[in-house]
Amino acid sequence: MISELGAWAIFLLPLASFALIALVIRPFLGSRSRVSGYVTVLAIGLAFLLSAYALRSTLGHEQAIGWPSHRWLAISGLDIRIGILMDPLTAIMLVVVTGVSLLVQVYSLGYMKDDEGYARYFAYMSLFTASMVGVVMARSIIQLYVFWELVGLCSYLLIGFWHQRPAAAAAAKKAFLVTRIGDVGFLLAILYLFLQRDTAAFAGRNPFEIPDILAAAGMMTTFAATWTALGVFAGAAGKSGQFPLHTWLPDAMEGPTPVSSLIHAATMVAAGVFLTARFFPLFEHSAAAMTTVALVGGFTAVFAATMGLVMYDIKRVLAYSTISQLGYMMLAIGVGAPAVAIFHLFTHAFFKCLLFLGAGSVSHAILTFDMRFMGGLRKAMPWTYATFLIGALSLAGVFPLAGFWSKDEVLLSAWRGDKGVDSLVFWLAFVAVFLTAFYMFRVIIMTFHGPFRGGVGAEHPQPGPPARGEHDQDHAAGEEAAPSVHLAESPLVMIAPMLVLAVLAIAAGYVANPLGDLAGVPAHWFVEFLEEHAEGFSPGLAAASSAVALGGVGLAALVYGRRSPSPEAVGRAFGPIRTLLLNRYYMDALYEGVIVRSLFYQGIARGLNWFDREVIDRFVDFLGWLSRNGGRTVAPLQNGQTQAYGVVISLGVLAIIGVYLVFGR
């Protein structure tokens, strides 16, 4: 059984790595010191080993390990405590976060080796990992919120890592501001719990400790449970890029590719799904909250997938894929299957991390992410091609890879739910299966098959406006790339983590499926943390979803492989729709052009500016005028003559005596 000190070490190790790099290595050994990378890998590697031990300690236990919480603040009878909530959900997430982060850090040793900010990069990555571990382990909702905001800060620092590039700086600010909108809802939920502190204290519970909140959920009124749950979901929707707070995630690709991989696989976006699953006992007491989560997740799954169909930047295709898959996870929670959502998060972490690292490997060779400059890389980069293909097949849900099993569980959960909303989101998820397979094999064919189209400096072979920042070169130095391209496989330090992830993208699904049972794997241990059972396996549904996925693969092969019909012909046939998708449904224009620039700047901000000038400033100026002129009026009385002061004092004494004689008796 892991000790409490060992559990705290999972958090403290990456935090110590951050402090050591920031305070010692970078100032004394220089910003390019390779020691910073090794320290990060060592610290997160040890944290991963402890996380694996923690998972072993919690398997077979439905309840959390009973460690006490520790007083942090006690103000006016309000007891705010910190501690570790170590249950199977926490342990699963710790393995995902530290395991994926470890592989990303190893990959980064090669990818970032020539960067001027090498030490700064690893310091930020250590802090990012520590922050996500803090979110996962938190026992108090206040403690969770502190690390929740720290995750947002780290994402801002890493997305804008190459801050000298305007697109990166803008993307970092956008991510920070959009996710703050969702965090307002989360904060309101916490404030509501604060207002209920007396009721909680009367029942012997702490209003901020997560176990007490979940235990008291059944005693809440439906109204209270609904609005508290929706507040929590608002924060989750912001971090996990759910509609309509999804717009920051594609622009976040301006950061280094390993950062994108970690954000999309195990930290930033996974935090929202984890938060919703953690508070599921609260959600299930509100039908309205459950319906909202299911509908938002189902709609987001299709909505984001449609934009992935037309993007030319390989990382942005993967970004929209992540938004879509997060929609699957939210959908599963909304239909009452949080264990299934975590299962899909588990498998998704491996194949999505693999796909992003594969995109980084391609960019490392040809210095661009635009697929219109790619093609023909299959022979030049065989390891990258093989691992990327495995990741794409797993994401598309092709049997027998990991994504097939978790995707099937999501579909089956919706299919077996109540008719109505569950049926609607089932069909939305089913449509997303086809779209996912199509856009992923569009990526495969455009990137690795056909003739090589020149890399950096090539002319655009296809029309269509790229997204902002799409052609910024995301190579290790963060500078303009040379026009010459030397095709070669990436170094072993980058390929090795991809090989490990490829194995996991194949095998991770076997922890919770019928074949895993036959192989002796402890199947369904994902569901223990909520005393649930997996939905089982439906051969008919699995066959139908596989056929739909293969149909998407086949259509992509026809259009982009055999060019029958050609992509240009399809684009002309669906011209208005394609334009709509290329412009991301104009939601960025709506937010930035209408809401921010017109409504906020020209309306609210201008109105507040007028109020500040004409009301606040004038009132303050009036007070100043009154003080100045009042002073001039009183000043003659301060003439320095003692006899005058004596007269005033005498009159004052007489006035006091008079008042006493009249009113004091």
Side-chain angles (χ1 to χ4, degrees), residues 141 186 189-190 192-193 207 210-233 275-290 293 333 338 530:
I141 196 170
F186 188 17
I190 296 174
Y192 178 81
L193 294 171
I210 294 173
D212 287 353
I213 295 170
L214 301 183
M219 296 184 290
M220 286 186 178
T221 64
T222 302
F223 178 85
T226 297
W227 286 104
T228 305
L230 289 178
V232 171
F233 180 62
L275 182 71
T276 313
R278 170 62 80 199
F279 284 91
F280 179 74
L282 175 64
F283 280 83
E284 66 179 346
H285 286 289
S286 170
M290 293 285 284
V293 174
I333 295 174
L530 287 174

Side-chain angles (χ1 to χ4, degrees), residues 344-646:
H344 194 49
L345 184 153
F346 179 81
T347 61
H348 176 266
F350 302 126
F351 58 71
K352 186 52 61 69
C353 182
L354 172 60
L355 289 169
F356 270 104
L357 297 188
S361 179
V362 169
S363 170
H364 191 264
I366 64 173
L367 307 177
T368 183
F369 287 106
D370 194 324
M371 294 185 294
R372 292 171 292 187
F373 299 160
M374 298 181 185
L377 301 180
R378 178 168 55 92
K379 294 181 180 179
M381 308 182 73
W383 289 108
T384 298
Y385 172 69
T387 54
F388 196 95
L389 179 61
I390 290 171
L393 288 168
S394 191
L395 174 58
V398 174
F399 178 86
L401 280 73
F404 167 82
W405 301 106
S406 57
K407 176 212 65 178
D408 178 71
E409 290 282 356
V410 174
L411 293 172
L412 189 58
S413 298
W415 178 255
R416 290 182 176 174
D418 297 333
K419 299 306 176 187
V421 171
D422 289 4
S423 296
L424 173 60
V425 298
F426 167 80
W427 289 111
L428 288 173
F430 213 71
V431 170
V433 170
F434 176 82
L435 298 178
T436 302
F438 178 83
Y439 66 64
M440 281 312 303
F441 277 82
R442 170 181 179 263
V443 170
I444 290 286
I445 295 168
M446 290 186 68
T447 304
F448 295 101
H449 291 266
F452 180 58
R453 292 184 291 275
V456 170
E459 295 297 326
H460 291 186
Q462 299 182 41
R468 185 183 62 185
E470 188 171 59
H471 299 299
D472 289 344
Q473 304 311 315
D474 182 13
H475 56 90
E479 301 169 350
E480 289 301 320
S484 59
V485 173
H486 176 63
L487 293 181
E489 185 60 272
S490 296
L492 180 62
V493 73
M494 295 171 62
I495 293 298
M498 294 166 62
L499 292 173
V500 174
L501 288 165
V503 172
L504 292 170
I506 296 170
Y510 290 91
V511 298
N513 65 56
L515 297 182
D517 291 337
L518 295 174
V521 178
H524 307 315
W525 49 268
F526 279 91
V527 300
E528 293 171 1
F529 68 89
L530 287 174
E531 301 180 350
E532 289 188 349
H533 297 283
E535 292 291 336
F537 182 71
S538 171
L541 182 58
S545 65
S546 297
V548 170
L550 292 175
V553 172
L555 183 60
L558 282 175
V559 175
Y560 289 93
R562 301 190 64 177
R563 300 181 64 83
S564 177
S566 68
E568 294 80 7
V570 174
R572 287 192 296 270
F574 295 93
I577 296 176
R578 179 174 177 273
T579 301
L580 181 68
L581 297 179
L582 277 171
N583 287 280
R584 314 186 214 187
Y585 291 95
Y586 295 97
M587 291 198 67
D588 290 276
L590 173 65
Y591 289 166
E592 297 179 19
V594 177
I595 295 179
V596 175
R597 299 185 186 278
S598 299
L599 180 61
F600 182 76
Y601 285 141
Q602 300 301 322
I604 297 174
R606 178 169 288 187
L608 291 174
N609 182 49
W610 176 88
F611 183 81
D612 182 65
R613 291 195 327 269
E614 302 298 328
V615 178
I616 302 297
D617 286 355
R618 288 183 181 276
F619 178 71
V620 173
D621 290 343
F622 170 74
L623 292 178
W625 176 87
L626 186 64
S627 299
R628 289 193 303 273
N629 288 280
R632 293 192 186 100
T633 303
V634 177
L637 298 178
Q638 304 296 323
N639 53 20
Q641 297 180 1
T642 305
Q643 60 270 30
Y645 295 162

Side-chain angles (χ1 to χ4, degrees), residues 13 17 20-21 25 29 32-46 102 105-106 108-110 113 118-119 121-123 126 493:
L13 280 165
S17 171
L20 183 62
I21 295 170
I25 295 174
L29 299 182
R32 287 193 173 190
S33 173
R34 304 283 290 178
V35 177
S36 56
Y38 301 139
V39 167
T40 300
V41 170
L42 177 63
I44 297 177
L46 292 173
L102 174 61
Q105 308 316 321
V106 173
S108 299
L109 294 175
K113 66 177 182 178
Y118 185 88
Y121 170 86
F122 280 101
S126 297
V493 73

